[in-house]
Amino acid sequence: MRLILVFTFLAALLTAVSALSKLTVWKEDHEIFDLVSELEASEGKGTTFYSWLGVSSTASLTEINKAYRKKSIQIHPDKNPGVKGIHERFARLGVIVNTLRSADGRARYDFFYKNGVPRWRGTGYYYSRFRPGLGAVLMFLTMLTTGLQYLVQRTNYQRDLNRVRRTIGDARLAAWGPKMAQLEGRRKVKVNLGGGPRSDEDGRIVPGKMIDMVVEGNDVYILDPLGELHLLNEDIATPPALGRTWLIALVRAAFCSLFRKDGKGSPSGTDGERQESDDEQSDASGGGSVSPGGASENQVPWKGTRAAAVKTGGRRRKMVRK
């Protein structure tokens, strides 16, 4: 155990050192990127450190120092009084020469000199140069989380839709046979919702979760233990909607709260009143929600199966046992 902890600590230490060295390298690269951009903006597109000094890319350190002395005399602020940006150019010249005097700095610049400065310079570079304010960051995070929530809704909707279609297909296959020839009348079948058979801890084969279903024509129903039929169709899957994302829901809740605070009230009643009305109607129509197999509603493979069946046309029917 101690040996494992030691190796873990060493691995973490090496990772930290590697990240720190990469951060230093990236910082040096960013400084070169800035110098290249500033030099081209001041002296013209395509100007390089070497061309501005008037030397070749293979120039020796002596040649670079000689070219620096000559260039510094030409653009010295005392020699160019009143010239706009002359101080910035003179300071930039010193930074460029110091970069070329350093063996590591020149090697890094030569790499970008030969291969070109990348157009995308990394998120760290742009964030450090164009650091957004708190408002911009909050706006970005708000839009990002809202978009991700909508994407999750789309994913869940597609998953539920595929599950409904598969279950309907399995029920029709069990009722009509492999040839899928539609038969007249009503047929009661069992459909596996829990996937294929699996082995338990003792190695015994355990079938998936089976539910009773009824196929009548093209309609497929879930049969609950009370003998009631609940229509199963694609309307049970909840489609994605921007109105159900947290941002829209928050704005809507704030607006409703402000509306009630002003004493104007909601013309169509509050959500709580509508929910109570729905609950009363549900109680009057036959008691609490019962899921296939006697499970609670949270265990039903499609949320709100009974409510969805009633909503899609009141297709809740009493099973007539023959």
Side-chain angles (χ1 to χ4, degrees):
M1 179 63 70
R2 292 182 179 179
L3 186 61
I4 295 177
L5 291 176
V6 171
F7 278 121
T8 303
F9 174 76
L10 291 176
L13 183 61
L14 289 176
T15 302
V17 171
S18 176
L20 183 60
S21 62
K22 288 183 178 180
L23 182 61
T24 304
V25 170
W26 289 339
K27 184 178 180 181
E28 293 175 354
D29 289 346
H30 294 169
E31 292 175 352
I32 292 176
F33 296 160
D34 287 338
L35 284 174
V36 170
S37 300
E38 294 170 359
L39 182 61
E40 290 187 343
S42 175
E43 310 300 330
K45 187 70 175 177
T47 304
T48 66
F49 292 2
Y50 299 115
S51 64
W52 194 39
L53 288 172
V55 297
S56 66
S57 59
T58 59
S60 64
L61 184 58
T62 302
E63 294 174 329
I64 290 176
N65 288 330
K66 182 178 179 181
Y68 166 67
R69 288 192 293 269
K70 180 179 178 181
K71 192 71 175 180
S72 62
I73 293 175
Q74 292 177 357
I75 64 172
H76 197 282
D78 294 340
K79 298 287 185 178
N80 301 273
V83 177
K84 184 178 180 180
I86 195 64
H87 291 85
E88 291 79 4
R89 294 179 64 196
F90 185 76
R92 189 178 303 119
L93 176 63
V95 177
I96 289 175
V97 170
N98 287 334
T99 301
L100 296 179
R101 284 172 177 170
S102 168
D104 183 64
R106 184 171 183 178
R108 302 200 65 79
Y109 173 74
D110 285 346
F111 174 81
F112 297 114
Y113 173 77
K114 296 175 181 178
N115 299 280
V117 177
R119 293 187 177 182
W120 175 253
R121 303 176 180 180
T123 54
Y125 173 83
Y126 292 108
Y127 182 82
S128 61
R129 269 63 181 174
F130 312 102
R131 185 171 300 173
L134 179 61
V137 172
L138 291 178
M139 179 66 69
F140 172 75
L141 293 177
T142 298
M143 300 303 296
L144 178 63
T145 53
T146 302
L148 290 177
Q149 187 180 9
Y150 182 78
L151 182 61
V152 170
Q153 289 182 12
R154 286 183 61 88
T155 303
N156 292 338
Y157 172 68
Q158 193 62 45
R159 179 201 60 196
D160 294 341
L161 201 60
N162 293 335
R163 185 181 300 177
V164 170
R165 290 172 178 171
R166 184 177 64 251
T167 304
I168 292 176
D170 291 344
R172 289 173 177 171
L173 178 63
W176 298 344
K179 295 183 178 180
M180 295 296 288
Q182 183 173 344
L183 302 177
E184 297 293 335
R186 175 185 298 172
R187 292 181 176 273
K188 179 181 176 182
V189 296
K190 285 186 175 295
V191 177
N192 187 349
L193 288 184
R198 64 186 186 279
S199 300
D200 60 8
E201 296 179 354
D202 298 329
R204 294 174 297 184
I205 302 299
V206 179
K209 182 179 179 181
M210 307 295 291
I211 64 170
D212 293 326
M213 303 191 73
V214 172
V215 179
E216 184 177 6
N218 285 324
D219 294 333
V220 177
Y221 302 89
I222 296 177
L223 176 63
D224 67 18
L226 298 180
E228 294 183 351
L229 296 178
H230 308 285
L231 179 65
L232 178 63
N233 56 23
E234 296 181 3
D235 293 336
I236 291 179
T238 304
L242 288 175
R244 290 191 294 108
T245 57
W246 74 269
L247 177 61
I248 304 300
L250 182 63
V251 172
R252 185 180 299 169
F255 178 78
C256 292
S257 177
L258 181 62
F259 211 92
R260 290 193 296 267
K261 187 176 181 180
D262 291 342
K264 298 179 181 180
S266 176
S268 57
T270 63
D271 292 340
E273 293 172 351
R274 286 196 297 270
Q275 182 64 37
E276 292 176 1
S277 176
D278 291 342
D279 293 341
E280 292 174 0
Q281 293 178 5
S282 177
D283 294 340
S285 63
S289 175
V290 180
S291 64
S296 63
E297 186 175 356
N298 292 334
Q299 297 172 328
V300 178
W302 302 282
K303 294 182 179 180
T305 303
R306 182 174 183 178
V310 175
K311 181 179 179 182
T312 55
R315 300 296 298 278
R316 180 173 60 82
R317 301 168 55 184
K318 190 73 174 180
M319 178 66 175
V320 179
R321 303 185 182 276
K322 297 183 180 180

